[in-house]
Amino acid sequence: MDKQQHHQLSLAKSSRQRCNEWIFRDVKSDITIEVNGGTFALHKFPLVSRSGRIRKLVAEHRDSDISRVELLNLPGGAETFELAAKFCYGINFEITSSNVAQLCCVSDYLEMTEEFSKDNLGSRAEEYLESIVCKNLEMCVEVLQQCENLLPLADELKIVSRCIDAIASKACAEQIASSFSRLEYSSSGRLHMNRQAKCDGDWWIEDLSVIRIDLYQRVMTAMKCRGVRPESIGASLVNYAQKELTKKSSLWNPSGQTKIDLLSTDHEGLVVETIVSLLPVEKLAVPITFLFGLLRSAVMLDCSIACRLDLERRIGSQLDIATLDDLLIPSFRHAGDTLFDVDTVQRILVNFSQQDDSEDDMDDASVFESDSPHSPSQGALFKVSKLVDNYLAEIAPDANLKLAKFMAIAETLPPHARTIHDGLYRAIDIYLKAHQGLSDADKKKLCKLIDFQKLSQEAGAHAAQNERLPLQSIVQVLYFEQLRLRNALCCSYADDDRKPVNHQSWRISSSALSAAMSPKDNYASLRRENRELKLELARMRMRLNDLEKEHVCMKRDMAKSSSRKFMSSFTKKIGGLSLFGHSSSRGSSSPSRQSYRTDSKVIERTCASTD
């Protein structure tokens, strides 16, 4: 506060010195104006002719002949009042983007409107704001910076809202123009967007990084409403966070001896929470590394629970593109706790698993009836399972890591997420080596997480000789190794007895594929098999209808012809029919083929109605 008062006094002193240079020296001053500790010896007539506020003050004290007036809380201080006084004296000065906001506010405070004088300061400043500032994005940003010290009056005069709307409109227009410039025709003559071309419509990102966080939030909200691309919004958020959160390094002080600036900590916490609230809903609008950085800052700054949960949910929705370094979030809470924040990672994994479950519950047939062996969510599960196994191996040596937390991380993913358990076995082995005081019951409970049938040959050989494993686990490993050896021997005699071995290998591969398939893939496979069975059943029904029609015709022939002719006709008709729709008779006529085409159409309609 002392520095601020000293700065104000110095400004007032310099303003007073400048004032003596431009006021009427040959006319004695008859009124003294005090503004923020500074005094201005002026004349009533020029001030009263332009300012309604000063006119009212002088009129109220006509009898006492007022000679001293104190203007409290004048926006812009002594420096801005000097410009207003110059305007009253008819002295020219330039209105710029660095003083137009102050002039609008001081003209409202001094009531320098058209009611008291034509072409007054208020109308001049408003004209400059509308015709010059609001058509230039850089000027709008500068005016917003000036408005930071003029609130709430600048907001009441709608200076802030007009500049924000102008910035959002300008950015949107620039982006549209940039998008049109990236359109080009392909070799086939189709118009498409060139993704590799540099996007020049986001040059405003750097300019907006100087605005205070509350005004920046309003600008970003307006841009979202205008339809600015989520990628551009995300890029601006990343740029703003990098500048605001790396200005002060008090929180990263390694010695811990320097006092932490609480005001700086509160400001950084506000920045993190605001940026999280502005994140686009679209995936990949910001890098996942940036989301993890925000989460680390939110944990370190003790931001609100809603802020952290929002980040965890966003990260969980795209966890398959994360890396091990992203997951290694330090623990900032207690010195005797774990080295890494395991609880936060577990919540992220729960968000990922719940998202996968919600996708599995969808009833869209196009999702379930994919021809690919694994759906995209299954591929994401495979990636996350490898990531989790590497994370478990990284945190396993921590002596303070409890068994319950380690197992909770390992059990978060569904069983079909891991096709190979080598990574999980490696992590558990590291944990057993670092926690040798575990009881036999805890070791058995931990080793139940491993499906020893899904270990590779190298991992199985290592587990068979691992003394840290419980005896029951070693027996399982040896049993599955024996089965594997037996299958290998059976395959070596494939030349002598090919069919049984092929049948056995088919069963093994089928079971392995079934174990690797998610419930969604199994459901899709069952739907396809069910459709094929329905199709075959419809064909059977159509062929039975043909047999019934032929049976009626045979009865009619029996009544009209002799028994010998009837038997001959019966033999020919039976020879021309086939239960599966394939005729070997050379005497099949074209009407029968046309009937079969008609049957196929009926079958398709029947399957469509029964599906």
Side-chain angles (χ1 to χ4, degrees):
M1 293 296 294
D2 295 338
K3 291 183 179 180
Q4 186 176 1
Q5 290 178 354
H6 179 72
H7 180 66
Q8 291 178 352
L9 290 176
S10 62
L11 286 176
K13 184 178 180 180
S14 61
S15 299
R16 185 169 59 251
Q17 292 175 352
R18 292 193 302 270
C19 177
N20 294 329
E21 298 176 358
W22 53 262
I23 62 173
F24 302 141
R25 295 183 180 181
D26 53 346
V27 181
K28 184 180 179 180
S29 63
D30 55 0
I31 188 170
T32 301
I33 306 295
E34 293 184 4
V35 179
N36 293 349
T39 57
F40 294 84
L42 303 173
H43 305 84
K44 292 181 181 178
F45 177 73
L47 299 179
V48 169
S49 63
R50 295 280 188 176
S51 172
R53 188 185 186 97
I54 296 179
R55 180 184 298 184
K56 292 176 183 177
L57 289 174
V58 172
E60 290 174 0
H61 300 81
R62 184 183 301 273
D63 298 336
S64 59
D65 193 17
I66 184 172
S67 61
R68 195 174 192 89
V69 174
E70 183 180 5
L71 300 178
L72 300 175
N73 301 322
L74 186 139
E79 189 174 359
T80 304
F81 176 77
E82 180 185 359
L83 295 177
K86 281 185 176 182
F87 185 85
C88 293
Y89 277 82
I91 299 175
N92 293 326
F93 62 88
E94 185 181 3
I95 300 178
T96 64
S97 57
S98 60
N99 62 21
V100 66
Q102 291 90 331
L103 292 176
C104 287
C105 291
V106 76
S107 62
D108 180 79
Y109 179 89
L110 295 175
E111 299 179 17
M112 300 177 68
T113 62
E114 297 296 305
E115 180 183 353
F116 301 98
S117 177
K118 187 178 180 181
D119 291 334
N120 213 339
L121 181 61
S123 59
R124 293 279 187 90
E126 283 288 332
E127 182 182 1
Y128 183 85
L129 185 67
E130 287 292 335
S131 60
I132 305 297
V133 173
C134 289
K135 294 182 179 180
N136 186 283
L137 190 143
E138 294 94 334
M139 286 187 174
C140 288
V141 172
E142 189 175 359
V143 171
L144 283 182
Q145 283 185 281
Q146 302 299 325
C147 289
E148 293 175 1
N149 299 321
L150 299 173
L151 296 176
L153 182 57
D155 230 345
E156 294 173 2
L157 298 177
K158 297 184 179 181
I159 302 174
V160 176
S161 60
R162 282 182 286 179
C163 289
I164 289 175
D165 290 341
I167 291 174
S169 300
K170 191 69 176 177
C172 188
E174 291 283 346
Q175 198 167 80
I176 293 174
S178 175
S179 299
F180 277 119
S181 66
R182 294 163 60 194
L183 289 174
E184 61 181 19
Y185 285 96
S186 62
S187 57
S188 61
R190 293 184 177 181
L191 193 64
H192 72 286
M193 184 78 69
N194 187 359
R195 299 289 181 181
Q196 297 179 353
K198 183 179 179 181
C199 182
D200 297 328
D202 298 340
W203 53 268
W204 46 265
I205 291 177
E206 190 67 27
D207 295 332
L208 296 183
S209 62
V210 299
I211 307 176
R212 202 171 66 183
I213 184 62
D214 54 339
L215 298 178
Y216 177 80
Q217 182 181 17
R218 293 173 62 177
V219 172
M220 288 294 104
T221 304
M223 284 190 172
K224 285 184 177 181
C225 295
R226 292 278 183 172
V228 176
R229 285 193 300 262
E231 296 81 6
S232 302
I233 298 291
S236 179
L237 294 174
V238 172
N239 184 70
Y240 191 89
Q242 288 175 347
K243 289 197 171 185
E244 286 295 318
L245 299 179
T246 56
K247 286 181 178 178
K248 304 174 180 65
S249 59
S250 58
L251 291 172
W252 301 95
N253 181 28
S255 63
Q257 297 177 358
T258 305
K259 293 182 180 180
I260 296 178
D261 188 358
L262 295 179
L263 293 177
S264 173
T265 303
D266 293 341
H267 170 72
E268 291 179 349
L270 177 63
V271 170
V272 171
E273 292 181 357
T274 304
I275 289 178
V276 172
S277 67
L278 293 172
L279 288 172
V281 296
E282 292 80 3
K283 290 183 180 180
L284 305 179
V286 295
I288 192 171
T289 304
F290 175 68
L291 294 178
F292 274 104
L294 285 178
L295 182 58
R296 288 189 182 92
S297 300
V299 174
M300 181 176 58
L301 298 168
D302 197 20
C303 293
S304 64
I305 297 177
C307 171
R308 282 177 279 178
L309 291 179
D310 188 15
L311 284 171
E312 292 169 5
R313 178 185 57 81
R314 291 176 182 273
I315 292 173
S317 66
Q318 46 188 321
L319 188 60
D320 55 306
I321 61 175
T323 62
L324 178 60
D325 291 336
D326 294 332
L327 283 183
L328 296 177
I329 304 173
S331 181
F332 299 100
R333 297 187 178 180
H334 305 290
D337 204 352
T338 56
L339 296 175
F340 299 104
D341 193 344
V342 181
D343 296 332
T344 298
V345 175
Q346 183 185 358
R347 289 194 297 270
I348 292 174
L349 289 172
V350 169
N351 278 292
F352 172 78
S353 301
Q354 289 177 349
Q355 175 213 9
D356 186 64
D357 293 341
S358 64
E359 290 179 357
D360 288 343
D361 294 337
M362 293 170 60
D363 293 329
D364 189 3
S366 62
V367 176
F368 293 113
E369 297 181 1
S370 174
D371 293 330
S372 60
H374 301 294
S375 61
S377 61
Q378 184 66 32
L381 273 176
F382 291 160
K383 294 179 182 178
V384 173
S385 65
K386 293 180 181 179
L387 179 64
V388 170
D389 293 343
N390 291 332
Y391 177 76
L392 289 172
E394 192 71 24
I395 66 174
D398 189 355
N400 294 324
L401 181 61
K402 303 299 182 183
L403 177 64
K405 288 189 175 182
F406 183 87
M407 293 184 63
I409 295 290
E411 292 176 333
T412 305
L413 297 180
H416 62 271
R418 295 181 178 90
T419 54
I420 299 177
H421 277 220
D422 288 9
L424 182 60
Y425 165 71
R426 172 174 169 267
I428 290 177
D429 184 44
I430 295 174
Y431 188 86
L432 291 174
K433 186 177 181 180
H435 301 77
Q436 298 182 3
L438 286 178
S439 63
D440 292 339
D442 289 339
K443 289 182 179 180
K444 291 180 181 179
K445 187 189 304 182
L446 184 60
C447 291
K448 284 183 178 179
L449 298 174
I450 307 174
D451 187 350
F452 293 101
Q453 192 174 4
K454 294 182 180 180
L455 292 180
S456 64
Q457 187 173 357
E458 294 77 7
H462 183 276
Q465 301 177 1
N466 193 346
E467 297 179 355
R468 290 183 288 271
L469 296 179
L471 181 60
Q472 182 181 2
S473 300
I474 296 177
V475 171
Q476 292 182 21
V477 173
L478 293 175
Y479 172 73
F480 291 123
E481 285 297 313
Q482 185 179 7
L483 285 181
R484 184 178 296 169
L485 179 61
R486 182 183 301 174
N487 293 333
L489 291 175
C490 291
C491 291
S492 64
Y493 293 103
D495 294 337
D496 298 335
D497 192 3
R498 185 175 301 275
K499 291 183 179 180
V501 174
N502 287 340
H503 179 68
Q504 183 180 8
S505 63
W506 177 84
R507 291 181 61 186
I508 294 173
S509 62
S510 177
S511 61
L513 180 61
S514 177
M517 290 176 68
S518 65
K520 181 168 62 178
D521 297 324
N522 284 326
Y523 181 69
S525 177
L526 290 175
R527 282 180 63 93
R528 285 193 293 269
E529 293 178 3
N530 191 21
R531 172 169 287 187
E532 291 175 0
L533 289 175
K534 288 180 179 179
L535 183 62
E536 190 64 33
L537 182 60
R539 288 174 179 169
M540 293 281 289
R541 288 174 179 172
M542 298 302 299
R543 302 315 300 166
L544 287 176
N545 289 335
D546 290 342
L547 287 175
E548 290 178 357
K549 292 178 181 178
E550 295 296 335
H551 182 62
V552 173
C553 293
M554 284 187 286
K555 283 185 176 181
R556 191 181 300 114
D557 292 341
M558 187 185 299
K560 292 181 178 179
S561 63
S562 62
S563 61
R564 184 177 298 177
K565 291 182 179 180
F566 167 73
M567 291 301 297
S568 176
S569 175
F570 178 79
T571 305
K572 289 181 180 180
K573 289 177 180 178
I574 289 296
L577 291 176
S578 174
L579 190 61
F580 298 101
H582 299 286
S583 177
S584 59
S585 176
R586 296 176 59 186
S588 60
S589 59
S590 58
S592 64
R593 294 181 183 178
Q594 184 176 3
S595 175
Y596 182 76
R597 294 193 191 99
T598 306
D599 294 345
S600 299
K601 295 180 181 179
V602 176
I603 290 171
E604 291 179 0
R605 290 197 296 269
T606 306
C607 292
S609 62
T610 56
D611 192 6

